[in-house]
Amino acid sequence: MTAQIISGTEVAAQIRQELEQEIVELKDKYNITPGLATVLVGEDPASQVYVGQKQKTSLALGIYSERHDLPAETSEEDLLILIDKLNEAPRIHGILVQLPLPKHINETKILYAINPKKDVDGFHPVNLGRLMIGEPDYLPCTPHGIQQLLIRSGIEIEGAEVVIVGRSNIVGKPIANMLIQKTEGANATVTICHTRTIDIALHTRRADILIVAAGKPKAITADMVKEGVVVIDVGVHRIGIRKESGKSILCGDVDFDAVKEKAKAITPVPGGVGPMTITMLMLNTVRAAKLAAGLA
Ligand code: GUN
């Protein structure tokens, strides 16, 4: 079987085009420019790249964006003061605090401090709770990106056996909650596997749709999937550097070359889930601006 390669780059470009139009309309009709503040604490190179990409995409779409880069030794108190300021700032509709935070800062406390109406990551307990009961304001970006990739690639989700590997608050738990909802683009039967699952392959082999956010390079091998599976790979790992270009060589949580021989459709790394995550952050920022103006 030759797998359909699900291009996150292409689907993301399509959604960005739709967003660009919405942003122009907001500006023309209501004189509103959506605004995003990113907060980065410390010098983690991967986080710096992610925040840089979020800033660049905001500017390209016509979103006002503010970058707050703080030293690693910033105190929890000072970070809370900045968040309070951003909660009050009228130009800022969305606040994104890049994770992970340095060890001396309590992540939960910081996420609670963000005004849920400005929580464009969808990580605040209020937003996660609303998602769970089927009344979401903001969907977390990576799960929302995964759902849109499936829908826009014509994959049937209703009634599918979905198996998720990984139970993080950022990906595994929210995507499971989204796909069991009684709504369009959901109504799946969902299993979540994790580090204490006795026999992961027993579950993954049953999957019609396999979503992998295990955080382990090439953890899913060809013997662990059935013929015709649809595979969404959330992992990103740097496994080397290209001599010629100095660019990173990346791989996902799935052994792509082997699994694509059995899959009906599969996302690549890079160019799969990654571009979708950033795009859904932009979508949430536009939504935040509309909600603040009573337009959504
Ligand atoms: N770190 C890894 N993924 C994410 C994300 O989606 N949002 C934030 N804020 N931090 C992250």
Side-chain angles (χ1 to χ4, degrees):
M1 184 176 283
T2 312
Q4 169 196 354
I5 307 297
I6 299 177
S7 170
T9 310
E10 278 173 26
V11 177
Q14 192 187 339
I15 297 173
R16 282 178 203 186
Q17 227 172 35
E18 296 164 11
L19 283 175
E20 253 181 311
Q21 277 178 4
E22 256 187 88
I23 291 164
V24 168
E25 211 179 289
L26 275 176
K27 179 88 192 150
D28 288 352
K29 271 200 198 157
Y30 305 100
N31 199 27
I32 293 170
T33 302
L36 174 69
T38 61
V39 181
L40 171 64
V41 187
E43 280 96 44
D44 177 64
S47 291
Q48 283 177 332
V49 171
Y50 294 143
V51 169
Q53 287 170 340
K54 289 164 187 177
Q55 285 281 331
K56 204 174 122 193
T57 312
S58 307
L59 291 174
L61 290 181
I63 291 175
Y64 167 72
S65 104
E66 249 179 48
R67 182 168 176 162
H68 298 266
D69 288 5
L70 310 175
E73 57 279 7
T74 301
S75 68
E76 191 176 277
E77 198 188 350
D78 282 348
L79 183 55
L80 287 169
I81 290 170
L82 172 62
I83 290 172
D84 267 349
K85 258 193 224 157
L86 296 171
N87 279 340
E88 299 302 324
R91 284 196 80 174
I92 297 301
H93 303 103
I95 303 168
L96 176 130
V97 178
Q98 186 65 30
L99 304 179
L101 287 166
K103 295 237 173 336
H104 67 278
I105 296 176
N106 182 335
E107 211 160 88
T108 308
K109 202 166 166 186
I110 299 302
L111 295 179
Y112 269 78
I114 298 170
N115 179 347
K117 293 194 168 14
K118 295 194 176 187
D119 171 39
V120 286
D121 252 329
F123 292 166
H124 192 286
V126 164
N127 287 319
L128 288 170
R130 293 187 63 130
L131 155 62
M132 190 168 173
I133 62 167
E135 296 281 334
D137 247 353
Y138 299 109
L139 293 168
C141 303
T142 300
H144 195 193
I146 293 169
Q147 189 185 36
Q148 282 299 312
L149 264 185
L150 292 168
I151 292 171
R152 291 179 185 238
S153 304
I155 310 290
E156 179 73 32
I157 301 173
E158 179 150 338
E161 287 284 343
V162 174
V163 176
I164 298 163
V165 184
R167 57 176 156 185
S168 70
N169 291 335
I170 294 181
V171 183
K173 284 182 204 159
I175 188 70
N177 269 292
M178 285 166 64
L179 297 182
I180 57 169
Q181 297 297 326
K182 204 169 188 174
T183 55
E184 256 180 69
N187 280 314
T189 303
V190 174
T191 304
I192 307 183
C193 301
H194 47 74
T195 44
R196 301 295 169 95
T197 298
I198 303 290
D199 184 351
I200 288 184
L202 181 79
H203 300 282
T204 57
R205 280 191 204 110
R206 281 189 9 253
D208 301 317
I209 299 172
L210 179 60
I211 299 170
V212 191
K216 196 171 153 203
K218 302 189 186 183
I220 302 298
T221 48
D223 59 306
M224 295 171 75
V225 303
K226 74 174 180 191
E227 287 281 342
V229 65
V230 173
V231 181
I232 303 291
D233 188 352
V234 184
V236 189
H237 309 277
R238 281 174 181 74
I239 51 170
I241 291 183
R242 272 179 231 289
K243 274 207 189 101
E244 327 79 67
S245 58
K247 285 195 173 161
S248 304
I249 302 170
L250 302 179
C251 85
D253 288 351
V254 176
D255 182 356
F256 179 85
D257 289 330
V259 171
K260 82 173 191 315
E261 299 303 321
K262 286 175 90 176
K264 180 166 80 180
I266 185 167
T267 60
V269 176
V273 173
M276 293 299 293
T277 296
I278 298 176
T279 300
M280 300 333 264
L281 175 70
M282 302 300 127
L283 183 142
N284 278 349
T285 304
V286 173
R287 180 166 169 77
K290 284 165 123 180
L291 284 170
L295 297 170

